[in-house]
Amino acid sequence: MSASLKRIIKSGWLGFRRNSGLSLATVFIMVMAISLVTSLFLLQKTSNYLVSSLSEKVDMAVYFGEEPTTDEIDIIQKELKGLPEIKSLQYISKEEALAKFIARHQGEQVIMESLQEVGGNPLLASLNIKAFEATQYANISSFLDSASFKNLISKVDYSEKKPAIDKMFSLTSTISNTGIVLSIILAVVAILIAFNTVRIAIYNSRDEIETMRLVGASNWFIRGPFLVQGMIGGLLAVLITFFAFGIALWFLSPKIDLVIPGLHLSSYFFGSFFMVIVLQLAAGLGLGACASWLAIRKYLKV
Amino acid sequence: MISFRNITKVYQAGAKPIVALSNVCFDIQPQEFVSIVGRSGAGKTTLLKLFLAEEKPTAGSIFFEKKDVHQIKSHLLPNFRRDIGVVFQDYKLLPSKTTYENIAYVLEVMGASDVDIKNDVARVLELVGLSNRAQNFPEELSGGERQRAAIARALVHQPKVILADEPTGNLDPYCTKDIIRLLTKINEMGTTVILATHDQYIINSLVRRVITLEEGKVIRDEERGRFTL
Ligand SMILES: Nc1ncnc2c1ncn2[C@@H]1O[C@H](COP(=O)(O)OP(=O)(O)O)[C@@H](O)[C@H]1O
Ligand SMILES: [Mg+2]
């Protein structure tokens, strides 16, 4: 690092400390802005996870009025495998369905008794279909409507989770849209406050600035410290935000894992350390540098 | 080396303009020791400000080493000013820096190394007798100490020209003598010195060139001049 750069940075740090009250107000608002951006980042991850795990759970069951013969099953499977949307097929016979049912409701007196009362096997044979994506079930369903084995089908059941997914999608997009708007507003506020801090710092140092000029300081030797001062604010805000998120996630993650098992938000946060830090640094340094640059351009004319 | 050509400076303050300098002409050779004398308000400080390009002349031009000072591009102005050391009448020490840092700043802006700065600043502090005030801030210094700090700052980077604006205004007679002896010594080592003062004693003891200003006009310019108003 060149001696001049070192001196500029040092002098920027001194300026930051000298205006500590204002500087800390700037840091505070920047922390808010960076936190919001970071939250959006984590929300994105959470909603992606939720959508994909919901989609994972969606499947389609095709129930048959009467148990199809093995030949019929073969034909049906062959026909369905021709569809590119289909990921997997699983045939469940009447007996298997009953066995599963019993296994699931073991110990539930009422259900077992009523099963007994009905007598025989009231359950239907079915074919479980998994598509690659949740949106593809509609296509598969319309295919089934015109399939050659249509008369065998008693009902098709798939729609249960689609509303949930749609809701999830719209909720996340609402949250992230609001978040983006809020981030922009907060970023503008942060820039204004940082701008004002630097403006005041320049104003307070106007006599010194004049003297520095008279003893031969170059423009950048005078301007640099103010730029650095803004960037230190941004940097400090990044550090605070990063640690606040780190600590919060560390303590909250057991609870989050209870609500959404398998998400592991904290390991994601620390795992994408680099990504997060770069994101935050870009936000923090960007805001700080941008604000001081604007103030310098306006108030520290050559 | 330095040349004032028909310099006029009119300040537009309030309703009526103030003519601070009118049609001032003189040349200064390298290694000269020139005193600018005159009553308070005669235009001494204005003259130095114009040379440093702190103020623009209303008419005329000033040349330093054949370059028109007021035509220097703004990004080159710092380079020009690094050739000059100034003892400002109001000191202009940076209040947030210690004595040491104030003096070091002149070297820092030139990109000097830390080692050089340390040595050079220590040397000039010693020279003006402020070694024991290195870590004090200007507001903790007496008037005379501030003045000596300002002198140290003007010397530290070994400029080609030293402008000293009433550098002894706040010093007792002993210190005044020391400072004048110092300026003479620096001059003998090759630095051009321009001294603005209204101190009769100094002028009469120097026996050097004296330019006398009265109401912004040069009324006398003589070698081995004396203080006569
Ligand atoms: N910035 C200014 N605005 C208006 N008038 C000024 C300004 N600076 C100096 N003057 C006037 O110019 C004249 C010369 O001032 P100055 O050069 O400071 O004199 P000296 O240094 O010889 O005492 C004075 O009448 C003073 O009032
Ligand atoms: Mg004066």
Side-chain angles (χ1 to χ4, degrees), chain B residues 41 44-46 89 165-166:
Chain B
K44 306 181 290 294
T45 299
T46 301
Q89 187 168 9
D165 195 357
E166 316 270 10

Side-chain angles (χ1 to χ4, degrees), chain A residues 9 25 52 62-63 102 109 125 140 154 162 165 187 191 249 301:
Chain A
I9 291 173
S52 79
V62 179
Y63 294 97
I102 290 170
Q109 209 80 44
I140 300 173
S154 88
K162 197 172 180 302
I165 291 178
I191 285 181
L249 282 175
K301 296 235 169 67

Side-chain angles (χ1 to χ4, degrees), chain B residues 1-198:
Chain B
M1 184 192 208
I2 297 166
S3 168
F4 275 61
R5 297 278 157 75
N6 309 96
I7 284 294
T8 297
K9 175 69 185 176
V10 181
Y11 285 113
Q12 292 294 345
K16 61 173 179 18
I18 297 168
V19 183
L21 290 174
S22 106
N23 205 27
V24 169
C25 293
F26 58 80
D27 288 297
I28 294 175
Q29 303 309 317
Q31 298 176 34
E32 250 191 299
F33 191 123
V34 182
S35 302
I36 314 280
V37 303
R39 271 184 247 277
S40 171
K44 306 181 290 294
T45 299
T46 301
L47 193 143
L48 298 184
K49 278 184 177 170
L50 288 171
F51 178 51
L52 198 59
E54 186 183 344
E55 293 278 357
K56 278 197 180 320
T58 311
S61 17
I62 300 170
F63 294 88
F64 174 68
E65 295 184 327
K66 304 204 165 57
K67 283 190 300 280
D68 186 334
V69 167
H70 295 274
Q71 301 297 325
I72 296 175
K73 294 211 171 59
S74 67
H75 70 279
L76 294 174
L77 209 50
N79 287 333
F80 159 68
R81 286 174 174 161
R82 288 170 201 171
D83 279 342
I84 299 163
V86 191
V87 186
F88 298 98
Q89 187 168 9
D90 52 356
Y91 322 132
K92 291 198 198 299
L93 296 170
L94 303 171
S96 60
K97 292 187 189 293
T98 62
T99 307
Y100 180 94
E101 290 164 348
N102 261 286
I103 298 166
Y105 189 78
V106 182
L107 298 171
E108 286 177 2
V109 303
M110 297 169 73
S113 74
D114 288 341
V115 182
D116 286 350
I117 291 179
K118 206 162 164 249
N119 293 336
D120 290 354
V121 175
R123 186 176 51 79
V124 290
L125 279 173
E126 181 77 49
L127 206 59
V128 298
L130 273 186
S131 300
N132 57 345
R133 289 284 176 272
Q135 299 312 322
N136 288 94
F137 290 92
E139 65 171 6
E140 300 165 350
L141 301 178
S142 74
E145 285 168 338
R146 281 179 217 176
Q147 193 143 46
R148 282 182 279 152
I151 292 166
R153 181 179 62 182
L155 306 180
V156 71
H157 56 303
Q158 301 179 336
K160 293 178 183 167
V161 183
I162 287 181
L163 309 181
D165 195 357
E166 316 270 10
T168 57
N170 258 304
L171 300 180
D172 56 50
Y174 293 106
C175 283
T176 301
K177 244 187 208 162
D178 282 348
I179 292 306
I180 296 306
R181 204 174 297 137
L182 183 63
L183 286 176
T184 335
K185 203 169 97 197
I186 288 161
N187 173 248
E188 276 158 11
M189 278 153 47
T191 307
T192 309
V193 175
I194 303 178
L195 167 72
T197 185
H198 60 246

Side-chain angles (χ1 to χ4, degrees), chain A residues 179-199:
Chain A
I180 288 168
V181 171
L182 266 180
S183 301
I184 292 171
I185 293 174
L186 256 186
V188 170
V189 171
I191 285 181
L192 284 179
I193 291 183
F195 173 86
N196 200 46
T197 306
V198 175
R199 184 181 70 88

Side-chain angles (χ1 to χ4, degrees), chain A residues 108-223:
Chain A
E108 290 173 56
Q109 209 80 44
V110 187
I111 295 176
M112 285 310 178
E113 268 165 25
S114 48
L115 190 63
Q116 217 105 61
E117 231 156 81
V118 173
N121 184 349
L123 297 173
L124 297 174
S126 65
L127 185 65
N128 277 348
I129 301 173
K130 267 201 175 161
F132 285 99
E133 276 170 35
T135 49
Q136 292 167 334
Y137 290 102
N139 277 352
I140 300 173
S141 162
S142 64
F143 172 80
L144 289 173
D145 277 344
S146 54
S148 65
F149 50 88
K150 189 185 165 225
N151 53 331
L152 291 173
I153 299 172
S154 88
K155 68 170 179 168
V156 174
D157 195 356
Y158 81 97
S159 51
E160 273 173 74
K161 276 150 192 153
K162 197 172 180 302
I165 291 178
D166 287 346
K167 218 187 228 167
M168 186 69 217
F169 267 124
S170 79
L171 185 67
T172 9
S173 76
T174 313
I175 295 178
S176 36
N177 284 343
T178 324
I180 288 168
V181 171
L182 266 180
S183 301
I184 292 171
I185 293 174
L186 256 186
V188 170
V189 171
I191 285 181
L192 284 179
I193 291 183
F195 173 86
N196 200 46
T197 306
V198 175
R199 184 181 70 88
I200 290 171
I202 291 173
Y203 182 78
N204 287 342
S205 321
R206 61 197 184 286
D207 291 338
E208 292 186 74
I209 290 170
E210 186 52 31
T211 303
M212 289 168 180
R213 289 214 167 103
L214 293 178
V215 299
S218 68
N219 236 318
W220 274 109
F221 208 79
I222 295 172
R223 285 175 157 196

